[in-house]
């Protein structure tokens, strides 16, 4: 029986078996009461402190009824005072109500308030304490997180309470699990007791392929971090990793703590390798990673990486330190510094320093020198530059100091000759637009050239060089073509150091040059291969006239012959650098045609050829032999993606005198679908090398890749991945990367073997194993960057997403 003086109203279900009422905020109470009195007169109005109830009888229209509509997006959760002002919506088969005190709902109960949805068999709500108690099959949804279980106690607005034996699902992470109990500390924090987490299916009481079992786990969604106590990671029923405490982020945000270990079970030079990184998120713009490493053949080492990003500066410092190498018998290290920024007065600077302890370091640790183009030639460079607008034009001043560390590992033909060191290099560049469309440019530099190793290059000259290059041009540009006449003046002066008993000397040269560059662009619509296309025809000609100046007595500090390609064939000088200027009386002619898709603008076909015609012999050469060939080698290039899913590309250098191909690169790729790619490439450099390269990523077992959360076991997809490089000239495989990837839906396994040449008859081999647990982490050695760098068209089976534990990758 209800208490004395309190109205007790029982609602009979309507014909639709759904009784509905809406709880109004106190601020709307007075207006609502007066409206009802005016319209209904003697109608029953139940008014208690803080509540007004309006019941929907069968066939009655209720003005205040709430119409629920489905939505594909989650609205942001309300916060602060807005929460208390939002209405409560309650639906059920039967309702028992005590206004301003409590309500009891039974049968298909649905309770909504401020972004929280509760479904249950039975629910009671205490308005004074804002507490909902639900029994039966209880479901709670809030902010993309879903919980289900037999019993819930919750203070709705503050989202405080507990859930017994719940199952949970985090849609933002693509994973979930179950726990004995979850305590909701507030809307952003919870604590789960004896919890299990996985992204694998959890139906029919089957154990997931992988799961993380914890004694206790605390999650803070506002801070995007969590702490698991007594964590054990199981894979296919076997425990593979156990930690007393584990701290992790709940998103891609960085979080300090130990990262998953990296395992390399086989390395021909270092043996079994185990690395356990520790990540320190020092600040939003600074972090430090320390990686203690154990190598069974060499001993203990410590790898460290410090990164920072300031408003005017950014950089990275890396140090790999092996205190005592058991193989070589000494301390070894590798230092890599990369820094750039802006100093006072708008002065931009950059510093790049690579250094290793010994010449054999690149062979024993070839992957410790990231970004090194030639691992036996390490640069130590500092440069500064400032750009200033002046009345004459845009003026750029720059300075650089560049040294080299040369890693010599043999004798005779194995010795490499390092470039000259510059200490210092000082220069100015000026670009100035003149009247009547004229454009002027001027550059001058002074360099001091030294050798990095005097013992291997005692006979090579060193000293100072000053040079200046000025040019004047007048471009005439129209939509259908252009013509640019140009005049150049190139001068240099040398002050050379003594060599042995030979005294130092001075020398200089002054070389003028003239050129005319012209081209046309014709365009027309066509329909080829069943597609609307736009075809272009682009002829181009370059005339160069540079008189002969004897430069055989001058030193060569930085000049080399340009590679023969579509860019260099239209260059005025056949050499890079400053010390050599080729004499020329020549005409370069070429033509290119393209097919461009009229809708997307993508290039579907390109064909081009070019040839240089010498009107007199070229006497300035590095080989010492005059070039008397009237017609240079013919350059032919092309690429096509017309015959989808095939793509072809080719570049040929053809000698018309010998009627033979001097160099060629021919490639083809077949990519009919994602994760299906085959590629082949043939490279020829006559007399030097001849290589064939094959690459692939292809499913060899199973169907298509499964979505996240699909069943694992043997029903996944097995992919073969790899790339091989075979030398036809030496009849041996130079480099190879071969492996397999198995995608089981909620986890991916990778096994990759790599063979890397470190000499003519030497190579290092290693085996990489990785287990990627979707929604959690990647464990083991990371081969993904290796696969992306080596396999044309390779795609990740799972794009990087939010994970509970960060990977050990940089």
């Amino acid at each position: 029986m209800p208490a004395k003086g309190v109205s007790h109203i029982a609602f009979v279900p309507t014909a639709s078996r759904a009784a509905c009422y809406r709880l109004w905020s106190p601020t709307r109470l007075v207006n609502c009461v007066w409206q009802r009195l005016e319209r209904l007169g003697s109608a029953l109005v139940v008014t208690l402190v803080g509540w007004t109830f309006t019941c929907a009888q069968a066939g009655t229209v209720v003005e205040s009824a709430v119409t629920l509509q489905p939505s594909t997006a989650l609205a942001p959760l309300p916060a602060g005072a807005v929460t208390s002002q939002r209405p409560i919506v309650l639906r059920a088969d039967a309702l028992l109500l005590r206004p301003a005190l409590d309500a009891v709902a039974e049968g298909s109960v649905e309770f909504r308030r401020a972004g929280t949805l509760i479904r249950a068999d039975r629910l009671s709500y205490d308005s004074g304490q804002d507490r909902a108690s639900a029994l039966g099959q209880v479901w709670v949804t809030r902010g993309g997180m879903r919980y289900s279980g037999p019993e819930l106690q919750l203070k709705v607005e503050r989202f405080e309470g507990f859930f017994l034996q719940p199952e949970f699902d985090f849609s933002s992470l693509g994973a979930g699990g179950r726990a004995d109990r979850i305590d909701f500390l507030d809307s952003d924090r919870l604590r789960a007791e004896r919890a299990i987490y996985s992204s694998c299916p959890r139906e029919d009481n089957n154990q997931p392929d992988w799961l993380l079992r914890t004694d206790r786990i605390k999650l803070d969604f506002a801070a995007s971090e969590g702490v698991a106590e007594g964590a054990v990671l199981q894979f296919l029923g076997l425990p593979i990793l156990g930690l007393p405490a584990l701290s992790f982020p709940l998103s891609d945000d960085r979080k300090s703590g130990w990262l998953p270990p990296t395992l390399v079970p086989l390395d021909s030079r270092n043996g079994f390798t185990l690395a356990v990184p520790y990540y320190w998120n020092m600040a939003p713009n600074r972090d430090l990673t320390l990686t203690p490493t154990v190598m069974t053949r060499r001993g203990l080492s410590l790898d460290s990486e410090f990164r920072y990003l300031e408003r005017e500066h950014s950089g990275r410092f890396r140090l790999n330190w092996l205190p005592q190498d058991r193989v070589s018998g000494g301390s070894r290290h590798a230092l890599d510094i990369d820094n750039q920024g802006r100093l006072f007065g708008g002065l931009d600077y950059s510093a790049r320093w690579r250094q290793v302890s010994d010449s054999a370091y690149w062979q024993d640790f070839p992957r410790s020198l990231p970004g090194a183009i030639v691992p036996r030639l390490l640069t130590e460079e500092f440069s500064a530059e400032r750009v200033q607008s002046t009345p004459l034009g845009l003026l750029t001043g720059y300075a650089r100091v560049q040294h080299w560390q040369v890693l010599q590992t043999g004798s005779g033909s194995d010795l490499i000759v390092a470039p000259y060191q510059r200490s210092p290099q000082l220069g100015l560049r000026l670009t100035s637009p003149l009247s009547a469309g004229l454009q002027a440019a001027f550059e001058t530099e002074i360099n001091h050239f030294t050798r990095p190793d005097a013992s291997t290059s005692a006979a090579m000259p060193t000293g100072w060089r000053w040079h200046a290059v000025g040019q004047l041009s007048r471009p005439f540009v129209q939509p259908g073509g252009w013509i640019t006449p140009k005049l150049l003046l190139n001068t240099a002066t040398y002050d050379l150091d003594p060599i042995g008993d030979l005294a130092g000397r001075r020398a200089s040269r002054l070389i003028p040059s003239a050129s005319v560059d012209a081209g046309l662009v014709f365009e027309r619509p066509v329909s080829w291969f069943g597609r609307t296309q736009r075809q272009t025809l682009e002829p181009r000609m370059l005339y160069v006239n540079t008189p002969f100046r004897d430069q055989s007595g001058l030193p060569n500090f930085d000049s080399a012959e340009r590679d023969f390609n579509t860019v260099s064939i239209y260059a005025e000088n056949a050499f890079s650098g400053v010390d050599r200027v080729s004499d020329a009386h020549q005409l370069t002619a070429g033509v290119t045609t393209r097919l461009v898709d009229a809708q997307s603008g993508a290039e579907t076909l390109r064909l081009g050829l070019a040839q240089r015609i010498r009107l007199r012999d070229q006497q300035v050469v590095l080989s010492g032999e005059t070039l008397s060939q009237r017609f240079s080698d013919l350059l032919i290039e092309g690429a096509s993606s017309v015959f989808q899913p095939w793509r072809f590309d080719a570049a040929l250098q053809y000698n018309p005198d010998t009627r033979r191909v001097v160099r060629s690169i021919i490639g083809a790729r077949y990519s009919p679908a994602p994760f299906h790619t085959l590629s082949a490439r043939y490279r020829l450099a006559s007399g030097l090398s001849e290589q064939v390269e094959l690459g692939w990523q292809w499913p060899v077992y199973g169907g298509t890749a499964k979505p996240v959360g699909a069943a694992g076991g043997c029903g996944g997809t097995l992919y073969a991945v790899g790339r091989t490089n075979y030398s036809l000239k030496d009849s041996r495989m130079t480099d190879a990367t071969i492996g397999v990837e198995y995608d089981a839906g909620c986890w991916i396994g990778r096994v990759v073997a790599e063979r890397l040449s470190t000499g003519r008859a030497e190579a290092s081999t290693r085996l990489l194993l990785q287990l990627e647990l979707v929604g959690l982490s990647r464990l083991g050695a990371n081969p993904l960057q290796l696969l992306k760098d080596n396999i044309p068209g390779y795609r990740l089976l799972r794009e990087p997403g939010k994970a509970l534990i960060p990977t050990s990758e940089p």
Side-chain angles (χ1 to χ4, degrees):
M1 295 293 295
K4 185 178 180 179
V6 178
S7 299
H8 185 175
I9 303 175
F11 292 97
V12 180
T14 63
S16 62
R17 301 293 297 168
C20 171
Y21 65 85
R22 180 173 181 176
L23 281 65
W24 293 81
S25 61
T27 58
R28 304 180 60 183
L29 175 61
V30 176
N31 289 337
C32 180
V33 171
W34 281 108
Q35 289 175 4
R36 292 296 172 181
L37 291 174
E38 291 175 355
R39 295 180 183 180
L40 303 179
S42 60
L44 173 63
V45 178
V46 182
T47 305
L48 296 176
V49 178
W51 284 23
T52 297
F53 300 94
T54 304
C55 176
Q57 301 294 339
T60 302
V61 178
V62 182
E63 296 181 10
S64 60
V66 177
T67 302
L68 301 180
Q69 297 180 350
S71 174
T72 59
L74 292 174
L77 296 178
V82 179
T83 304
S84 60
Q85 296 175 4
R86 297 192 63 175
I88 295 174
V89 178
L90 179 61
R91 288 182 173 180
D93 291 342
L95 299 173
L96 187 64
L97 172 68
R98 294 192 304 172
L101 294 178
D102 57 20
V104 177
E106 292 185 350
S108 303
V109 181
E110 182 177 304
F111 178 95
R112 295 175 181 263
R113 185 180 186 188
T116 299
L117 169 64
I118 303 176
R119 290 191 176 99
D121 294 337
R122 187 178 189 276
L123 182 143
S124 61
Y125 179 73
D126 187 329
S127 65
Q129 300 185 24
D130 187 33
R131 183 177 63 228
S133 301
L135 296 174
Q137 296 184 3
V138 184
W139 291 77
V140 177
T141 302
R142 179 180 174 88
M145 294 174 287
R146 297 187 294 273
Y147 309 88
S148 63
E151 181 177 349
L152 169 71
Q153 295 284 340
L154 183 67
K155 292 186 177 180
V156 181
E157 182 179 338
R158 299 173 62 179
F159 207 76
E160 295 178 358
F162 65 87
F163 212 141
L164 296 182
Q165 298 179 348
E167 294 188 358
F168 55 88
D169 181 74
F170 301 138
S171 60
S172 60
L173 303 175
R178 64 178 183 271
D180 287 354
R181 175 186 173 112
I182 288 182
D183 290 289
F184 300 105
L185 307 180
D186 55 35
S187 59
D188 294 320
R189 298 181 301 143
L190 64 83
R191 180 179 62 245
E193 303 290 339
R194 290 175 291 280
I196 293 176
Y197 171 85
S198 178
S199 65
C200 292
R202 301 175 295 280
E203 294 85 5
D204 302 327
N205 295 322
N206 293 327
Q207 180 169 294
D209 285 358
W210 72 266
L211 58 87
L212 180 68
R213 191 184 301 273
T214 64
D215 294 338
R216 182 180 294 105
I217 186 171
K218 300 177 182 178
L219 304 180
D220 189 336
F221 295 99
S224 188
E225 64 179 356
V227 177
E229 300 175 5
V232 176
L233 180 62
Q234 294 183 1
F235 179 67
L236 300 180
L238 299 176
I240 61 174
L241 180 64
L243 294 172
L246 179 65
S247 176
F248 52 87
L250 299 178
S251 67
D252 290 334
D253 297 338
R254 301 174 305 175
K255 176 70 173 62
S256 298
W258 291 99
L259 303 182
T262 298
L263 301 174
V264 180
L266 174 63
D267 190 314
S268 60
R269 289 186 175 271
N270 303 321
F272 177 84
T273 302
L274 171 63
V276 184
Y278 180 82
Y279 179 78
W280 180 16
N281 186 24
M282 306 171 66
N285 60 328
R286 289 185 293 273
D287 62 17
L288 174 66
T289 304
L290 300 175
T291 309
T293 304
V294 178
M295 294 174 284
T296 55
R297 290 193 60 191
R298 299 189 180 274
L300 298 174
S301 69
L302 177 64
D303 298 343
S304 59
E305 181 181 33
F306 172 69
R307 301 183 301 178
Y308 69 94
L309 179 61
E310 305 291 343
R311 184 174 183 179
E312 299 288 346
H313 310 275
S314 63
R316 181 186 66 180
F317 297 83
R318 297 187 60 183
L319 175 63
N320 301 333
W321 179 46
L322 181 61
Q324 183 64 34
D325 188 346
R326 291 200 296 261
V327 177
S328 64
S331 176
R332 309 181 74 181
H333 71 269
L335 178 65
D336 184 2
I337 300 175
D338 188 3
N339 186 78
Q340 53 275 329
R342 172 166 292 186
L343 299 175
F344 52 87
L347 182 65
D348 297 322
Y349 75 94
S350 66
R352 191 63 187 266
W353 187 284
R354 285 197 179 102
Q355 188 183 70
V356 297
S357 56
D358 55 88
S359 291
Y361 196 95
W362 74 279
Q363 293 177 311
D364 297 335
F365 310 99
R367 301 159 197 91
S368 297
L369 302 171
I373 300 176
V374 181
R376 295 176 59 184
L377 196 60
L378 306 181
T379 182
E380 303 162 2
E381 178 181 322
F382 178 84
S383 62
E385 179 181 280
R386 180 176 178 181
V387 180
Q388 182 70 44
S389 179
T390 68
L392 296 178
L394 198 63
L395 179 65
T396 302
Y398 56 93
R400 181 169 67 161
V401 176
Q402 185 180 43
H403 286 190
W404 303 92
Q405 182 184 11
V406 186
L407 307 184
Q408 303 287 9
T409 58
S411 60
S413 60
D414 289 334
L415 293 176
I416 62 175
V417 178
Y420 277 90
Q421 298 182 149
R422 301 173 188 258
S423 53
Q425 176 187 16
L426 305 174
L428 290 172
R429 287 192 298 266
L430 176 67
T431 57
S432 177
L434 304 178
S435 59
L438 293 172
Q439 294 183 0
F442 177 77
E443 176 181 313
T444 182
E445 267 187 17
I446 183 169
N447 292 263
H448 183 216
F449 293 97
T450 59
R451 299 298 307 172
D453 189 352
S455 61
T456 60
S457 55
M460 303 184 71
T462 59
W464 292 84
R465 181 193 71 195
W466 170 82
H467 85 273
V469 177
Q471 68 178 38
L472 181 66
S473 62
R474 175 53 170 96
F476 298 90
V477 180
Q478 295 294 328
W482 81 92
I483 181 170
T484 304
K486 183 190 300 183
L487 296 176
L488 296 96
L489 189 64
N490 193 319
T491 182
T493 299
Y494 299 85
D495 187 358
L496 303 180
D497 299 329
I499 301 178
D501 297 334
L502 299 178
R505 61 188 182 91
R506 293 188 176 185
S508 63
R509 53 127 175 106
L510 178 64
I511 304 175
S513 181
S515 67
V516 179
D517 189 6
L520 297 172
V521 178
F522 300 99
E523 190 176 282
R524 66 169 183 171
V526 294
S527 179
W528 284 15
F529 311 106
R531 297 154 62 181
T532 303
Q533 308 268 350
R534 187 166 292 276
Q535 184 185 14
T536 69
L537 186 66
E538 306 166 35
R540 181 181 178 183
M541 298 184 67
L542 172 67
Y543 171 77
V544 181
N545 193 342
T546 304
F548 169 72
R549 296 292 186 269
D550 187 10
Q551 303 163 54
S552 58
L554 301 177
N556 183 10
F557 293 134
D558 61 4
S559 284
E561 291 184 357
R562 295 182 185 271
D563 188 34
F564 194 74
N565 52 45
T566 54
V567 176
S568 65
I569 199 170
Y570 289 106
E572 289 96 345
N573 189 5
F575 305 105
S576 62
V578 173
D579 294 304
R580 292 295 181 269
V581 179
S582 60
D583 60 311
H585 187 204
Q586 62 192 28
L587 180 67
T588 302
V591 62
T592 301
T593 183
R594 309 173 198 267
L595 284 181
V596 179
D597 189 275
Q599 299 297 325
S600 65
E603 183 181 271
T604 58
L605 177 68
R606 182 181 73 257
L607 294 173
L609 57 89
Q611 190 174 36
R612 182 179 294 151
I613 305 171
R614 295 187 180 89
L615 304 179
R616 67 166 179 255
D617 296 346
Q618 179 181 326
Q619 301 181 59
V620 179
V621 291
L622 295 180
S623 62
E625 298 180 1
T626 300
L627 286 177
S628 58
Q629 184 184 24
R630 286 291 174 261
F631 294 91
S632 72
D633 293 347
L634 182 65
L635 183 63
I636 306 172
E637 64 155 1
S640 173
S641 58
V642 172
F643 305 102
Q644 291 289 350
W646 288 92
R647 179 172 179 84
F648 303 92
D649 62 271
L652 303 176
Q653 181 180 342
Y654 177 78
N655 190 310
D657 295 337
T658 61
R659 299 182 180 180
R660 305 184 70 174
V661 175
V662 178
R663 291 196 315 168
S664 65
I665 300 177
I666 302 174
R669 185 193 300 180
Y670 176 64
S671 301
F675 318 112
H676 294 63
T677 181
L678 300 173
S679 64
R681 189 167 293 274
Y682 171 78
R683 293 185 176 91
L684 169 68
S686 183
L688 296 177
S689 66
E690 187 176 7
Q691 296 179 335
V692 174
E693 177 188 297
L694 301 176
W696 62 90
Q697 180 187 27
W698 202 268
V700 294
Y701 170 80
T704 58
K706 295 191 173 186
V708 175
C714 298
T717 306
L718 182 68
Y719 295 85
V721 293
R723 181 194 65 86
T724 62
N725 198 343
Y726 184 81
S727 174
L728 299 175
K729 182 176 182 294
D730 301 327
S731 299
R732 70 182 183 95
M733 184 179 297
T734 55
D735 299 318
T737 301
I738 300 175
V740 293
E741 295 181 296
Y742 182 74
D743 186 356
C746 61
W747 62 270
I748 300 173
R750 296 183 177 91
V751 181
V752 178
E754 180 195 21
R755 183 182 188 275
L756 182 65
S757 293
T758 56
R760 294 180 180 272
E762 296 182 357
S764 65
T765 304
R766 64 171 179 166
L767 180 66
L768 305 178
L769 305 178
Q770 186 185 62
L771 177 62
E772 179 178 347
L773 306 178
V774 177
L776 186 68
S777 181
R778 294 177 182 142
L779 306 177
N782 177 28
L784 294 178
Q785 192 61 46
L786 176 67
L787 297 177
K788 288 189 291 184
D789 291 344
N790 286 273
I791 302 176
Y794 174 83
R795 292 183 58 179
L796 295 177
L797 300 183
R798 290 285 183 270
E799 293 297 328
K802 296 183 178 180
L804 281 182
I805 300 177
T807 66
S808 56
E809 311 161 31

